[in-house]
Each structure stands twice: as C-alpha cells, then as structure tokens.
Amino acid sequence: VIAYDGTAFHGWQRQPRHRTVQGVLEVALGEVLGGGPARVMGAGRTDAGVHARGQVASFSAPTRLPAAAFPPLLERRLPPDVRVRDAFEAIPSFDARRSARARRYAYRLLHEDDVLLGRFAWAPRPRRPAEALERAARALEGTRDFSALRGAGATPGTPVCRVMRASVSVWEGGLRLDVIADHFLYHMVRNMVGSLLAAAAAPDPAEAMRAILASRDRSRAGVTAPAHGLTLEQVYYPAEVRA
Amino acid sequence: VIAYDGTAFHGWQRQPRHRTVQGVLEVALGEVLGGGPARVMGAGRTDAGVHARGQVASFSAPTRLPAAAFPPLLERRLPPDVRVRDAFEAIPSFDARRSARARRYAYRLLHEDDVLLGRFAWAPRPRRPAEALERAARALEGTRDFSALRGAGATPGTPVCRVMRASVSVWEGGLRLDVIADHFLYHMVRNMVGSLLAAAAAPDPAEAMRAILASRDRSRAGVTAPAHGLTLEQVYYPAEVRA
C-alpha cells in the first residue's frame, strides 16, 4: 500500500526517460530482493501530478522475507515523496489491478488559492455552493454510461461504470468530491469535477448533470480539472485475496 | 500579506548565501520598483521550514503605483512557493513588526504520517487524546512568564507574553493547536507543542502544564516540535494603520 506526492512524478507508469512512481518503486524493490530489475503491478495508473494515499502494487518474488519487512526496507531506498504504508502476503492469483473490486478517488477544491493546500487542491473560479455541487454529484451515482466524461486518448473498453458513491463534503479550506466506482475511465474524475462546476450553475444541478451524461457527448461536459487536485485514496479488494 | 511554503527556505530573514523568503521578496520588489535593492520589514521572523499564510511585510518607497498593483507585479517575479495575497497603503509610521498587536500561529498534528499533509504537519508518537491536549492548552492562556518555553539562543527581552488564545481543534487528518499572543519567544510555539504532548500524558494535563510554566525551567518542558508543522496564520493590527 503506497502513498505518494505526485507533484514531481510523470505519473505512475514506468517510462524510459521520466521519473515515475512505478519506476522508483521497481528500482527500490530490485535492491531489496537483490536480484535483477523487479516488476510491480499497480491498481491505478495515476496520471502525471495525481497523488495517492492508498495506491496498491503487487509483485511476485522468491524471497524468505516476511511481508512486514518490506515497508521499512523499501522506504530506506525510496525518495521522500513515496511512502510504503503497509504490505501483505496475498494468494498466488492476486493482481493489484485485476483483483480490485472498487477504487476511491478524492478531488479537493479550495475556496481560495493556498500555497500549502494548493499543492493537492484546486481553486476554481467562480465558486459554486456546496449544496448545488452535492445535488449534481448524487446524479452520478448508479450504473451508467460515462462516455460524456471519458477523456480523449482513452483506452477502449466499456464506458459503463458502476459509481457506488459520489458525494461532496466540507474539507479544510474548501470542498471535496469523493467517488467510489468499480472502475474509472480516462480522466473521468477530473471531467466529473469540471462538469459538476458547470451543472452547479444550472437551476437544477442534478437534472443538468443527468443531461450531460445522457448526451454521451464529451463536448457537452465541463472542463478537465487539473491533475494536482486528485488523489487515489483507496483500493478495495475481496477479503479472500489475503494469503 | 504574504503566504509561503517554508519547505525550501532557510526561514524568513535575509542571509547572504541562503534562499530566504525576505531575500526573494526583496529581489522581486527591487525589480518592480525599478531602483536599487529594496528592503522590507517582516512581522514575524519565521524559522527555516516554518510556513506562512498571513505573514505581513512593510516597505516604504517613492512610487506612483497603487497598492493593488503590487500583488500581480510581485507574483510574476516570485517563485511558486511564495504568494502575495494582498497589499494596502499604510500610514507613514507603519512598521509590520512594531505595529503588530498580536500574531496567530497554527501547529498541525497528524494521527498518522501522510505524504501530502506531512509537508506542513507532524505525526508525533504516541498519540494523545484531543481532550487532554485541549485542557493543557487552556492553561497557557493569560499573561504569563514563558521562560520554560523559550528556546536556547533566544534574543533578550521580557519572557512575559499575553496569550489571548491557545486551543486545540480537529483538523483534516489530526489536531491543530492555535495560539494567539501579543508576541512570541524564540521557538515558543514549537516548545508549547512538545510540552502539551508531555502534559497530556499526566493525570491532570492543565496542572502539569501550569507546573512546567511555573518552573521557568526549559529542561522541565517538552521537546521542540519540528518546524514544518508550524504556520504563521495571521498578524493583527489596529484599524488606524490603514492610510
């Protein structure tokens, strides 16, 4: 279970000439295991600038080290913007990505720009009332076609996601959107945020959000909110993946 | 009115070979005013690693620019970890340091380490209950001799401060201590935090804190909490300093 400040990373996924979270993690893990280069599978391929508190990465390796030994051994070899929060032994078929049942992302909004919180939250203009945002967010819940919120350059696959929760709550300095879904389309949460801000300005925010979704048209939706406001908070697995 | 992320600064005060907030601000202001090097006076000389949301700096210069022109002109020339939130014209005798009537500092504590919030909050071990910390904090209020909480290497001056408020509240991810006082001794808030954590473990936290203060003995107080948890939130002035 991994946390990172995404500011100085070109996202999760390993790239030849860029600093990525997967890249630095695989170097550190290779050192701990003492063999050649290690390979890990991440539950969510977070974009450049996106943060994580509860990213999960899995690997398979012949080792006598217990799972609990890995966090301190890895942390010693990792830069300060990546932390290893926990480690568990899993069943052989476990794969952090394919075994995940749901993921929770948080997007943080600020009432005004802030030099400390602004590292992982966004201050859009104009401000929208929390109640209007909450009403629009609730319209995202359910099993729906999210084509209107799928970013360009998306990988193919079904646009139908099951959103178990989309709620707006008060957060230090502003508001926060929490979204739990079985899977997410490319830029989906960031497009949700732009669309919530647009829908919140309508007389009926829930109806405006439903109209955006029903259009299945990306051009009807709002702007893509900046990456730095987004954090992968948690990945959910069935209990039986623990070894 | 200035905000900064203190992480990459050697504190507020100008130093010949170190990056300081006063240093970068004076360079930017010199460029805006178009003359030689500019000089500003800061309300609080924050230490290395300490942050600010409401630092105040004053300067005097012959210029036709209105006060409102300075924030955008300065921000364009400042690094992203310093923001200029506001600017006002003041009466000729105004001095950000000497005209201040009170200052408010916040110290943020985390329940557990966090790669995002940990940039400006501290996760001490063991955790102490909020109620015990709050009871100990309230014992700091009033006009008292704070010699026991004065750091070594302090500048001379009266150890008697008037603490208008010392309270503990819930903050995203943990607790936060807010202290308002007419002036602060060297390391006073950071020593308060270490002492609150010690006092909170006693059967009567308020009594334990009063005993620390009454001793006037630095060795009776707790550890000095790390700089990065501290933020100068606000500086208070009488209304009549506005020009």
Side-chain angles (χ1 to χ4, degrees):
Chain A
V1 183
I2 297 156
Y4 44 88
D5 177 338
T7 310
F9 287 103
H10 286 258
W12 164 263
Q13 200 163 19
R14 187 189 331 116
Q15 292 179 46
R17 269 168 301 275
H18 287 298
R19 183 175 188 264
T20 69
V21 183
Q22 188 182 26
V24 302
L25 188 63
E26 289 182 342
V27 168
L29 183 61
E31 288 175 20
V32 169
L33 294 172
R39 286 290 174 260
V40 302
M41 172 59 72
R45 280 178 296 202
T46 55
D47 279 332
V50 174
H51 316 287
R53 281 217 173 80
Q55 172 73 286
V56 176
S58 57
F59 66 93
S60 171
T63 176
R64 292 189 175 183
L65 290 170
F70 281 87
L73 287 170
L74 287 169
E75 290 223 330
R76 217 170 296 159
R77 291 161 175 88
L78 284 167
D81 46 359
V82 187
R83 306 284 78 199
V84 178
R85 295 181 54 192
D86 224 330
F88 304 99
E89 206 178 330
I91 57 174
S93 65
F94 179 72
D95 174 298
R97 186 174 182 79
R98 276 172 297 177
S99 305
R101 288 290 167 268
R103 294 155 177 87
R104 177 166 63 91
Y105 282 91
Y107 197 99
R108 289 177 173 80
L109 299 172
L110 291 172
H111 292 319
E112 56 181 81
D113 205 10
D114 185 290
V115 77
L116 298 173
L117 305 175
R119 197 175 176 88
F120 49 91
W122 179 45
R125 284 281 166 277
R127 281 174 61 173
R128 300 290 179 208
E131 311 73 51
L133 290 165
E134 167 76 5
R135 283 206 299 279
R138 289 295 178 185
L140 294 164
E141 295 182 339
T143 301
R144 296 171 193 284
D145 183 328
F146 284 95
S147 298
L149 302 181
R150 171 181 252 177
T155 46
T158 173
V160 176
C161 302
R162 188 173 154 235
V163 173
M164 292 84 147
R165 184 173 131 198
S167 61
V168 173
S169 55
V170 174
W171 171 71
E172 169 100 358
L175 300 173
R176 127 186 200 171
L177 169 71
D178 276 281
V179 186
I180 303 178
D182 59 349
H183 72 289
F184 287 86
L185 309 178
Y186 187 58
H187 282 180
M188 181 164 134
V189 183
R190 294 165 58 189
N191 289 338
M192 277 183 178
V193 172
S195 302
L196 287 175
L197 291 167
D204 183 339
E207 183 49 42
M209 180 55 83
R210 279 192 290 267
I212 290 171
L213 292 181
S215 76
R216 304 185 58 214
D217 177 359
R218 177 70 192 90
S219 71
R220 290 281 306 275
V223 297
T224 305
H228 73 271
L230 185 62
T231 303
L232 171 54
E233 295 281 348
Q234 202 173 351
V235 185
Y236 303 88
Y237 296 97
E240 56 268 26
V241 301
R242 295 273 187 110
Chain B
V1 183
I2 299 157
Y4 44 88
D5 177 337
T7 310
F9 287 104
H10 286 259
W12 164 263
Q13 199 162 21
R14 186 189 332 114
Q15 291 179 48
R17 269 169 299 276
H18 287 297
R19 184 174 188 263
T20 69
V21 184
Q22 188 182 24
V24 302
L25 187 63
E26 290 182 343
V27 167
L29 183 61
E31 288 176 20
V32 170
L33 294 172
R39 286 289 173 261
V40 303
M41 171 61 71
R45 281 178 295 203
T46 54
D47 279 332
V50 175
H51 316 287
R53 279 216 174 81
Q55 171 75 283
V56 177
S58 57
F59 67 94
S60 171
T63 177
R64 288 184 178 188
L65 290 169
F70 281 89
L73 288 170
L74 287 168
E75 291 224 330
R76 217 170 295 159
R77 291 161 174 90
L78 284 167
D81 46 358
V82 186
R83 305 284 80 197
V84 178
R85 297 181 53 193
D86 224 330
F88 305 99
E89 207 179 327
I91 57 174
S93 65
F94 180 72
D95 174 297
R97 186 175 183 78
R98 276 173 297 177
S99 305
R101 289 288 168 269
R103 294 158 176 86
R104 178 165 62 90
Y105 281 92
Y107 196 100
R108 289 177 173 80
L109 298 173
L110 292 171
H111 293 320
E112 55 181 81
D113 206 11
D114 185 291
V115 79
L116 297 174
L117 305 175
R119 197 173 174 90
F120 49 91
W122 179 46
R125 285 282 166 277
R127 281 175 61 173
R128 300 290 180 207
E131 310 74 49
L133 290 165
E134 166 76 4
R135 282 206 298 279
R138 289 296 178 184
L140 294 164
E141 295 183 339
T143 301
R144 295 171 193 284
D145 182 328
F146 285 95
S147 299
L149 302 181
R150 172 181 250 175
T155 47
T158 173
V160 176
C161 303
R162 188 171 154 235
V163 173
M164 291 86 145
R165 185 173 131 198
S167 61
V168 172
S169 54
V170 174
W171 170 73
E172 169 101 358
L175 300 173
R176 125 186 201 171
L177 169 71
D178 276 281
V179 186
I180 303 177
D182 59 350
H183 72 288
F184 288 86
L185 309 177
Y186 186 59
H187 282 179
M188 182 164 132
V189 183
R190 293 165 58 190
N191 290 337
M192 276 181 179
V193 172
S195 301
L196 287 175
L197 291 166
D204 183 339
E207 181 50 41
M209 180 54 83
R210 279 191 290 267
I212 289 171
L213 292 181
S215 75
R216 305 186 56 214
D217 177 359
R218 178 68 192 92
S219 71
R220 290 282 303 278
V223 297
T224 306
H228 72 270
L230 185 62
T231 303
L232 171 54
E233 295 280 348
Q234 203 173 349
V235 185
Y236 303 88
Y237 296 96
E240 57 269 25
V241 302
R242 294 273 186 111

